[in-house]
Each structure stands twice: as structure tokens, then as C-alpha cells.
Amino acid sequence: MAKFDPAQFVREVRTETARVTWPSRKETLVTTGIVLALSALAAVFFLVVDQLIQLAMSYVFRI
């Protein structure tokens, strides 16, 4: 079994993070905005669907 060397681990992590292509600030903000907008759209969609199902069920059980 290999011996664990914390210093070597930190060096390897630094090397790997240097290779990562990080998004720009603008890309991050645009992506965040899209995620928030789509989440809000999904919330509104499910609200409408839930209201329609509630209306249908109240109609069915009122009969």
C-alpha cells in the first residue's frame, strides 16, 4: 500500500487546478442568470399544472 504524503497531495492538487480552464466572470454571470431564469420558469410551469390538476380533481369529486 502506498504511503500518503500530504505535501505531495497538495502539490498535485495545485498542478491539476492550474490545468483547469476557468470560466470568465461574464460567462459565470450569464450561466447563473440562465439557471435562475429557467428555475423560475419551471416553478411557474409546475404552479400552473398543479392548479389545473387541482381544478380537475375538484370538478371530478364535486360530481
Side-chain angles (χ1 to χ4, degrees):
M1 184 171 186
K3 182 181 174 190
F4 179 69
D5 182 13
Q8 178 67 27
F9 176 75
V10 170
R11 282 192 296 274
E12 290 175 5
V13 168
R14 283 187 177 178
T15 302
E16 288 299 319
T17 55
R19 294 180 187 173
V20 174
T21 303
W22 298 99
S24 67
R25 181 176 179 89
K26 182 180 179 184
E27 289 173 327
T28 303
L29 291 174
V30 167
T31 305
T32 302
I34 290 171
V35 168
L36 292 174
L38 290 177
S39 296
L41 184 65
V44 170
F45 171 76
F46 286 115
L47 173 69
V48 170
V49 169
D50 184 53
Q51 293 298 316
L52 290 173
I53 292 171
Q54 180 183 4
L55 181 65
M57 289 295 107
S58 65
Y59 176 75
V60 167
F61 290 118
R62 195 178 308 161
I63 294 176

